[in-house]
């Protein structure tokens, strides 16, 4: 990477004057003055008791002369570095020839399991699952691009009370008569049956104590794999998974593993046994719990006569009094299972903040019990919520949670409107790419942990920091390039300032992947790819590629465009934003 290369030059220069220190180089925060900067001389001056500027000057004088960089010391003690035309040309040619466009990989490759779907069987996918899918998919693509080996798991919520509730509701509606021998005619269950049953049952659960108790029993019967309860459950699961996968496909989220909580059920007993054998479990009101609190947590506090805990960290419930599996148990058992099947350096989860406590507890139990080896990283990537314009979590007009399907439909229709208004044919495929692309960029440009406002009109604008603007940039470049034969192109000579800015934007883009990797957030990549698209736009507005008469110049332009195309496509691939053929 270019920053490393410059750091090496400076370090060698410094060594020649007797300073055996580390230097760090960044992109310049004053791009009018230089392309890169090094601020390390301040610390050196302190260490050696010299004047900062003297040290900077001394080092600069000892840096090996190169026709690729211009290096100067400026007051108070910066070393400023600028790429010469020769340097830029070398960088551009390298990026053009390199399959990855000069993007390196991490020095160490890790084996990672990424758990980021979380859709629930028998329930519709809702808006809360949207960010998780978008962020998880992009993190997966990013990790892979930088050399990690990643397995993605949708980890369906398929082992909880919602199954008992749904089955009981369907039973009472007479839709399960065949399974219970009450009718000879098999009535095939449909997705509409499920979509109706769960919300209904969920309301009844809160209003009818008896219904809730019965649903608990049904859940236990399913979890104990009793017939016909378990067979019906499998039918419900299959219908639901079919529907869920359609939605994930529309979002471009792909999972290798379509497993769920239920797949860990056979490991629950073993997990509980390990925890018990380690002496970590205790009984509490008939249930089994593990105390996971550390010092400084659960401090009894009283304020205005009200008693509560400061830093609450309740014990983790690992077995219900009726012996049923709990959410935490399935996650602990899933880690046990994963560690039996793979040798994982990292297990990472993407969900919203509501699960923070859950994962803290699960991770602690796994570490305390050795279910997760000490050198394995367990990471919870917490995403903020998507809010409506009122700043509150996005809801339907009647105040209900928005279904993911409805959001996709909305994006599709809005994109169609936009395309038609611009005089284009609005086919479903293109509209979906634009609508979903707009949504993804509108999401990923925010720091993962922050909430943001869903503003569909702004997201769908063809100008500014938006998905469609980036897609449009690619479409435009493709259309220009389609006018030239494959043989055209060649070395990239730097003819103007705009070309220079494009190449610098690509260097920044390359380094943003590593920032994203460390931050587990895609916002830096979004900003950098937008920056590249704007640099291209400035270039394109000032120089005509098609009408350029000077052939050598035109060849340079063509190659530059090919390189931009490669870099834009690479970035949009990571953001999982598809590029339409036309728009
Ligand atoms: N099914 C859960 C929900 O919808 C999310 C699952 C998150 N992943 C996990 N391994 N627990 O809230």
């Amino acid at each position: 990477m270019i920053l490393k290369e410059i750091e090496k030059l400076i370090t060698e220069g410094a060594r020649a004057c007797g300073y055996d220190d580390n230097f760090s180089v960044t992109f310049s925060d004053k791009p009018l003055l230089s392309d890169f900067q090094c601020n390390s001389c301040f610390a050196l001056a302190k260490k050696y008791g010299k004047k900062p500027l003297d040290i900077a000057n001394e080092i600069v004088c000892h840096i090996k002369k190169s026709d690729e960089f211009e290096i100067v010391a400026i007051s108070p003690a910066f070393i400023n570095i600028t790429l010469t035309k020769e340097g830029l040309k070398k960088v551009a040619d390298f990026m053009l020839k390199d399959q990855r466009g000069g993007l390196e990989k991490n020095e160490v490759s890790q084996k990672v399991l990424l758990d980021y779907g979380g859709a629930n069987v028998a329930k519709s996918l809702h808006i809360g699952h949207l960010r998780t899918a978008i962020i998880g998919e992009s993190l997966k693509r990013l990790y892979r691009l930088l050399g990690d080996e990643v397995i993605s798991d949708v980890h369906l919520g398929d082992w909880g009370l919602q199954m008992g509730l749904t089955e009981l509701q369907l039973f009472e509606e007479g839709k399960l008569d065949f399974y219970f021998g009450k009718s000879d005619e098999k009535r095939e269950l449909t997705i509409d049956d499920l979509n109706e049953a769960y919300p209904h049952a969920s309301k009844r659960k809160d209003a009818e104590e008896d219904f809730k108790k019965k649903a608990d029993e049904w859940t236990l019967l399913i979890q104990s794999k009793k017939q016909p309860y378990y067979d019906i459950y499998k039918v419900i699961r299959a219908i639901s998974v079919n529907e869920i996968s359609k939605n994930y496909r529309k979002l471009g989220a792909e999972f290798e593993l379509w497993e769920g909580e239920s797949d860990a059920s056979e490991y629950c007993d073993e997990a509980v046994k390990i925890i018990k054998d380690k002496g970590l479990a205790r009984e509490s009101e008939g249930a089994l719990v593990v105390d996971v609190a550390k010092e400084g947590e659960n401090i009894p506090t009283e304020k205005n006569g009200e008693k509560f805990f400061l830093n609450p960290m309740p014990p983790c419930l690992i077995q219900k009094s009726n012996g049923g599996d709990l959410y935490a148990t399935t996650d602990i058992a899933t880690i046990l299972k994963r560690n039996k099947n793979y040798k994982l350096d990292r297990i990472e989860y993407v969900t919203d903040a509501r699960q923070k406590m859950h994962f803290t507890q699960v991770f602690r139990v796994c570490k305390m019990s050795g279910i997760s080896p000490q050198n394995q990283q367990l990471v919870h990537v917490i995403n903020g919520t998507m809010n409506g314009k009122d700043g509150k979590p996005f809801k339907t007009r009647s105040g209900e949670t928005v279904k993911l399907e409805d959001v996709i439909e909305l994006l599709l229709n809005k994109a169609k409107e936009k395309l038609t208004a611009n005089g284009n044919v609005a086919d479903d495929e293109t509209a979906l790419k634009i609508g979903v692309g707009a949504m993804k960029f509108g999401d990923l440009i925010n720091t993962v942990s922050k909430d943001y406002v869903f503003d569909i009109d702004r997201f769908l604008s063809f100008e500014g920091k938006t998905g469609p603007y980036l897609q449009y940039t690619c479409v435009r470049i493709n259309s220009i390039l389609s006018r030239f034969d494959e043989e055209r192109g060649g070395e990239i000579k730097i003819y103007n300032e705009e070309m220079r800015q494009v190449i610098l934007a690509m260097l920044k883009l390359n380094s943003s992947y590593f920032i994203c990797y460390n931050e587990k957030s895609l916002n830096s990549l979004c900003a950098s790819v937008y920056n590249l698209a704007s640099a291209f736009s400035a270039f394109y507005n000032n120089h005509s590629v098609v009408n350029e008469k000077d052939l050598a110049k035109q060849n340079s332009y063509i190659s530059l465009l090919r390189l931009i195309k490669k870099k834009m496509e690479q970035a949009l691939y990571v953001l999982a934003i598809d590029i339409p053929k036309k728009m």
Side-chain angles (χ1 to χ4, degrees), residues 11 13 17 44 48-49 78 148 166 203 211 219 295 319 347 359 372 385 393 396 410 443 447 460 463 477 497 544 568:
T11 309
C17 359
L44 246 65
Y48 297 101
F78 295 113
D148 282 345
T166 309
K203 278 196 191 113
F211 185 77
T219 308
E295 227 182 275
Q319 203 164 53
I347 306 180
F359 282 111
S372 161
T385 53
T396 59
L410 179 71
D443 184 312
T447 311
L460 263 168
E463 275 149 44
I477 294 173
E497 179 58 24
S544 170
M568 294 281 305

Side-chain angles (χ1 to χ4, degrees), residues 115 118 120 129 155 157 327 331 349 351 355 358-359:
D115 178 321
N120 298 313
H129 294 113
H155 198 78
Y327 184 40
D331 262 318
Y349 298 80
T351 78
Q355 310 224 14
H358 166 74
F359 282 111

Side-chain angles (χ1 to χ4, degrees), residues 33 53 56-57 72-80:
L33 287 184
L53 189 58
N57 270 318
V72 292
I74 65 153
S75 175
F78 295 113
I79 299 181
N80 279 1

Side-chain angles (χ1 to χ4, degrees), residues 401-470:
T401 314
V402 181
K403 281 199 201 161
L404 186 61
E405 276 183 10
D406 298 339
V407 181
I408 298 178
E409 193 65 23
L410 179 71
L411 291 164
L412 181 83
N413 289 334
K414 280 270 185 185
K416 272 189 182 167
E417 262 173 41
K418 191 89 197 189
L419 281 168
T420 322
N422 288 357
N424 289 310
V425 192
D427 63 288
D428 273 7
E429 197 190 323
T430 310
L432 188 68
K433 282 182 181 168
I434 295 175
V436 171
M439 174 72 232
K440 287 186 176 174
F441 194 81
D443 184 312
L444 296 171
I445 191 145
N446 303 286
T447 311
V448 161
S449 57
K450 294 258 163 68
D451 299 346
Y452 74 92
V453 173
F454 178 70
D455 182 347
I456 191 163
D457 294 314
R458 188 166 56 81
F459 291 178
L460 263 168
S461 164
F462 280 28
E463 275 149 44
K465 284 189 187 169
T466 69
Y469 172 66
L470 299 177

